[in-house]
């Protein structure tokens, strides 16, 4: 019996990420992102997920929406496709909801969708927890537990289902944040509902832990160490998050909590930069990158920092990436690796392995970094090293 896979792609998901808009909800924001030079990524990320399923083309049929909401990508890969809903040239959230309802009534085995938290909300509003769903991460905001850790990981989960492997279903929270507040540096996450999702811990992300670090002494130690090691005449790209914010505060610099800033000689060069601006300002310059992980999820790339493009990361080099985090934050991962979801599979491979994480003043641990193939990393044990 053929597996009936529903597919919905939000073609504007994630548009605001590379141009520092921190979201793409609303037609005005999406249009502004395109005006600033943003390129749609949702379909390329959908392609990465579907490519995992190519060996099973004869065993599944994809039920989807016309054009760039699913049909285009699925047909290009040679899948058997049935279009069950048609949209106008400019798609809207209502199209997502209407398509989800039709897929539900079509009796699909799973709804696979590409987007961010706004898309998850639309799907949840349309079908609630009536049929299983799985998200391909493609948005700027991905706090919901219905998403796989990477596009290829989403493909792996569907592969398990197509092969008839036992996959547990569990209810996962659908979360979203206020984008306007987010752009002002405030995270206001709210639970909107829950949906049935394959519960594969290797491939599914945890719901993001919100809130700031409460252990100010540990953050101060991390900040003091990083600042003490900064080189003169080197650009430092300062990623988002409260741990990096503590480093900026140590230098007395204004910080963009949910954006990316650039400093040199402990002086602010520019704030809240886009991917293009970062490349232009650091071209042929000695550059290092300071980043932290998202609590609960473990992502260091691909969640809220799409300004850090694959081209930029390659130019900087793994050896010049400074990862900072408290041990409490790392322990909360329960041995799961840090995750790279840069949008470039080869780069994710290059970053896989172990990386030094600064956890205090002259205090570091080695911690595993993975992505969609984390099952190959084996049992992950972080070990302390002396500096």
């Amino acid at each position: 019996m053929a597996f009936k896979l529903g597919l919905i792609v939000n073609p504007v998901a994630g548009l605001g990420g590379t141009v520092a808009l921190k979201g793409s909800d609303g037609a005005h924001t999406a249009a502004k992102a395109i005006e600033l030079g943003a390129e749609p990524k949702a379909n390329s990320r959908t392609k990465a997920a579907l490519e995992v399923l190519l060996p099973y083309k004869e065993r599944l049929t994809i039920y989807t929406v016309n054009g760039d909401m699913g049909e285009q990508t699925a047909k290009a890969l040679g899948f058997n496709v049935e279009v069950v809903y048609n949209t106008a040239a400019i798609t809207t959230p209502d199209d997502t909801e209407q398509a989800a309802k039709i897929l539900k009534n079509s009796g699909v085995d799973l709804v696979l969708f590409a987007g961010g938290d706004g898309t998850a909300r639309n799907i949840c509003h349309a079908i609630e927890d009536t049929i299983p769903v799985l998200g391909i991460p493609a948005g700027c905001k991905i706090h919901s537990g219905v998403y796989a850790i990477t596009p290829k990981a989403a493909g792996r989960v569907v592969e398990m289902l197509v092969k008839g492997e036992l996959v547990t279903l569990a209810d996962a929270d659908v979360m979203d944040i206020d984008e306007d507040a987010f752009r002002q540096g405030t995270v206001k996450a709210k639970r909107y509902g829950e949906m049935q999702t394959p519960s594969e811990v290797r491939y599914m992300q945890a719901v993001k832990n919100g809130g700031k670090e409460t252990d100010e002494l540990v953050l101060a130690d991390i900040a003091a160490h990083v600042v003490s090691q900064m080189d003169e005449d080197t650009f430092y790209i300062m990623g988002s998050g409260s741990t990096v914010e503590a480093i900026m505060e140590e230098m007395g610099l204004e910080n963009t909590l949910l954006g990316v800033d650039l400093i040199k000689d402990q002086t602010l060069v520019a704030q809240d930069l886009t991917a293009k601006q970062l490349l232009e300002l650091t071209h042929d310059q000695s550059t290092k990158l300071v980043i932290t992980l998202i609590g609960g999820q473990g992502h260091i790339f691909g969640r809220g920092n799409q300004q850090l493009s694959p081209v930029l990361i390659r130019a900087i080099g793994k050896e010049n990436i400074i990862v900072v985090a408290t041990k409490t934050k790392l322990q909360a991962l329960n041995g799961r690796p840090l995750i790279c979801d840069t949008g470039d599979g080869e780069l994710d491979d290059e970053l896989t392995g172990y990386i030094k994480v600064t956890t205090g003043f002259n205090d570091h641990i080695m911690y595993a970094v993975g992505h969609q193939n984390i099952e190959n990393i084996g049992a992950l044990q972080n070990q302390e090293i002396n500096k």
Side-chain angles (χ1 to χ4, degrees):
M1 181 181 295
F3 187 90
K4 299 175 70 174
L5 178 64
L7 175 65
I8 298 174
V9 179
N10 175 359
V12 300
L15 273 178
T18 59
V19 292
L21 293 181
K22 307 173 182 67
S24 53
D25 290 354
H28 174 73
T29 303
K32 183 177 180 181
I34 292 174
E35 183 182 327
L36 291 172
E39 296 181 3
K41 301 287 186 182
N43 270 287
S44 64
R45 294 176 77 77
T46 301
K47 179 183 177 184
L50 293 181
E51 283 176 337
V52 177
L53 303 174
L54 287 175
Y56 311 96
K57 283 196 295 186
E58 303 306 317
R59 296 168 61 177
L60 62 87
T61 299
I62 295 178
Y63 296 77
T64 188
V65 187
N66 69 306
D68 59 4
M69 283 194 71
E71 176 193 21
Q72 177 180 296
T73 298
K75 280 189 173 179
L77 290 172
F79 286 98
N80 181 30
V81 176
E82 289 193 22
V83 174
V84 297
Y85 180 75
N86 288 278
T87 72
I90 299 177
T91 62
T92 68
D94 184 63
D95 288 315
T96 298
E97 295 194 13
Q98 293 303 318
K101 290 176 181 178
I102 291 175
L103 288 175
K104 170 190 169 183
N105 294 331
S106 299
V108 296
D109 298 301
L110 174 82
V111 174
L112 180 68
F113 66 93
D117 286 329
T119 310
R121 280 181 62 185
N122 295 143
I123 301 286
C124 183
H125 184 258
I127 63 177
E128 298 180 327
D129 62 349
T130 54
I131 58 174
V133 303
L134 175 63
I136 301 169
C140 301
K141 306 167 289 133
I142 304 180
H143 295 68
S144 301
V146 298
Y147 283 98
I149 57 174
T150 67
K152 286 187 178 180
R156 295 293 179 201
V157 175
V158 180
E159 177 187 34
M160 294 173 68
L161 294 168
V162 174
K163 290 168 65 178
E165 297 183 20
L166 295 178
V167 177
T168 300
L169 291 179
D171 289 333
D173 286 337
V174 175
M175 309 288 289
D176 201 2
I177 62 174
D178 183 326
E179 279 196 6
D180 291 333
F182 188 39
R183 294 185 183 101
Q184 300 302 317
T186 301
V187 179
K188 293 182 178 179
K190 181 180 178 181
R191 180 182 179 278
Y192 284 88
E194 59 187 22
M195 292 192 285
Q196 292 181 44
T197 305
S199 181
E200 284 296 312
V201 295
R202 291 175 297 169
Y203 300 119
M204 300 300 292
Q205 75 173 29
V207 175
K208 181 187 182 300
N209 289 342
K212 290 192 174 184
E213 278 286 352
T214 56
D215 194 342
E216 294 182 1
L217 291 177
V218 176
L219 290 176
D221 279 351
I222 292 172
H225 175 80
V226 172
V227 173
S228 72
Q229 299 298 305
M230 283 185 166
D231 302 321
E232 294 183 1
D233 299 322
T234 294
F235 281 107
Y236 285 83
I237 297 173
M238 308 300 291
S240 58
S242 57
T243 310
V244 177
E245 180 184 39
I247 300 170
M248 295 289 279
E249 290 178 350
E250 175 74 11
M251 294 180 287
L253 300 178
E254 186 178 349
N255 175 69
T256 307
L257 177 63
L258 300 169
V260 177
D261 299 331
L262 184 67
I263 66 171
K264 184 178 181 181
D265 295 331
Q266 299 186 31
T267 301
L268 191 63
V269 175
Q271 286 185 286
D272 204 8
L273 297 167
T274 67
K276 181 180 179 181
Q277 290 170 331
L278 284 167
L279 282 171
E280 291 174 346
L281 289 169
T282 61
H283 180 66
D284 285 340
Q285 301 293 323
S286 174
T287 306
K288 295 186 178 182
L289 169 64
V290 181
I291 55 173
T292 190
L293 58 120
I294 293 183
Q297 294 182 9
H299 285 80
I300 53 176
F301 292 116
R303 296 295 186 274
N305 58 8
Q306 288 91 342
Q307 302 95 318
L308 306 177
S309 64
V311 175
L312 178 70
I313 296 168
R314 276 203 174 89
I316 292 170
K318 184 177 179 179
E319 69 279 5
N320 291 316
I321 297 174
I322 302 167
V323 181
V324 294
T326 65
K327 291 178 181 176
T328 299
K329 209 170 188 180
L330 292 171
Q331 289 167 346
L333 295 176
N334 295 317
R336 300 192 305 275
L338 303 178
I339 299 296
C340 295
D341 184 17
T342 64
D344 183 323
E346 290 185 2
L347 177 59
D348 292 340
D349 283 334
E350 294 167 14
L351 294 171
T352 296
Y354 281 80
I355 196 167
K356 184 172 75 173
V357 181
T358 297
T359 54
F361 195 90
N362 281 336
D363 188 9
H364 314 274
I365 66 171
M366 296 302 292
Y367 202 92
V369 178
H371 55 102
Q372 67 271 11
N373 294 320
I374 58 174
E375 71 272 17
N376 296 326
I377 295 177
L380 299 169
Q381 298 291 333
N382 53 343
Q383 57 187 15
E384 303 221 294
I385 61 172
N386 295 320
K387 285 287 289 180

